[in-house]
Amino acid sequence: MKNKIQGLADLDRVIHEPARLMLAMILSTVESADFLFLQRETGLTKGNLSVHLGKLEKAEYVKIEKKFKGKYPLTICRLTPSGRRALSSYRSRMDKALGKRRGA
Amino acid sequence: MKNKIQGLADLDRVIHEPARLMLAMILSTVESADFLFLQRETGLTKGNLSVHLGKLEKAEYVKIEKKFKGKYPLTICRLTPSGRRALSSYRSRMDKALGKRRGA
């Protein structure tokens, strides 16, 4: 019990924050996604989405590219291999800690 | 996908904080627990444990009683029915959001 529960103490806070967890979960299922798609999927405001993407980028969990499609700017986001590992380790840690007493 | 992922946006932040999540998980398995037991199980410092128990108490998720056992003071903590419901709803929300793409 002790280890699984204590595993929560050093959860990756970059991923643990709910908005960023949403983004990582969504990005884990697609090759890349643009800003507007992420905004629609998460329901975040433009400002919040920018801030959280910025934090994920700073942690090198997400790579962000600015492109143009004709004259429309596109912000393309991808989960990096390191972001994928961080999400996977987070999920497994949460599973262990929360699953432990399932049905208790 | 949208609803399960967006369910993360309004996670209960009182429970989501890792130290408090540990405490709620531990308290969900016992009738009551004293401060020293919780400190040992969580590995939190005395100060951190006090702060997080205080926040759980303020949210009415934990009830705290001060007693004496002979001349030794005991701080007895219990999860309230409302704390139990909050934890259960948190776990089910996290399960849905994180479980969705299991193995992805």
Side-chain angles (χ1 to χ4, degrees):
Chain A
M1 154 168 149
K2 202 166 167 181
N3 292 337
K4 287 185 182 171
I5 290 288
Q6 288 198 359
L8 292 173
D10 41 53
L11 278 178
D12 183 336
R13 306 296 170 115
V14 175
I15 297 281
H16 189 58
E17 200 293 322
R20 295 195 290 269
L21 182 53
M22 281 198 276
L23 290 168
M25 287 297 296
I26 293 166
L27 289 173
S28 74
T29 62
V30 292
E31 204 206 312
S32 67
D34 86 322
F35 193 92
L36 290 176
F37 172 83
L38 291 175
Q39 204 185 339
R40 203 170 56 231
E41 289 298 315
T42 57
L44 292 170
T45 63
K46 207 172 153 171
N48 270 336
L49 179 53
S50 283
V51 167
H52 289 299
L53 282 174
K55 291 190 180 170
L56 288 166
E57 188 183 30
K58 197 173 160 210
E60 300 185 351
Y61 289 171
V62 165
K63 192 160 179 278
I64 301 174
E65 271 180 288
K66 311 246 178 200
K67 289 187 177 178
F68 279 86
K69 186 178 175 176
K71 58 182 179 179
Y72 300 101
L74 278 181
T75 299
I76 304 290
C77 308
R78 292 167 211 276
L79 204 58
T80 63
S82 140
R84 200 167 289 274
R85 281 193 298 275
L87 177 63
S88 159
S89 140
Y90 174 86
R91 288 168 77 179
S92 119
R93 214 171 265 234
M94 281 300 265
D95 271 357
K96 279 184 194 139
L98 295 183
K100 178 69 184 154
R101 291 175 183 75
R102 193 130 301 164
Chain B
M1 154 166 148
K2 202 167 169 180
N3 291 337
K4 287 185 182 171
I5 291 288
Q6 289 199 356
L8 292 173
D10 42 52
L11 277 179
D12 183 336
R13 306 297 171 116
V14 175
I15 297 281
H16 189 57
E17 200 293 322
R20 295 194 290 270
L21 182 53
M22 281 198 274
L23 289 168
M25 286 297 295
I26 293 166
L27 289 173
S28 74
T29 62
V30 291
E31 203 204 314
S32 67
D34 87 321
F35 192 92
L36 290 176
F37 172 83
L38 291 175
Q39 205 186 337
R40 202 170 56 230
E41 289 297 316
T42 57
L44 292 171
T45 63
K46 206 172 154 171
N48 270 336
L49 179 53
S50 283
V51 166
H52 289 299
L53 281 175
K55 291 192 179 167
L56 288 166
E57 188 183 32
K58 196 172 160 210
E60 300 186 351
Y61 289 172
V62 165
K63 194 162 177 276
I64 300 175
E65 272 180 288
K66 311 246 177 198
K67 290 186 176 178
F68 279 88
K69 184 176 175 178
K71 58 182 180 181
Y72 299 101
L74 279 181
T75 300
I76 303 291
C77 309
R78 292 167 212 275
L79 204 59
T80 63
S82 140
R84 200 167 290 274
R85 281 193 299 275
L87 177 63
S88 159
S89 140
Y90 174 86
R91 289 168 75 179
S92 118
R93 213 172 266 233
M94 280 300 263
D95 270 357
K96 279 183 195 140
L98 295 184
K100 176 70 182 154
R101 290 176 184 74
R102 192 130 303 165

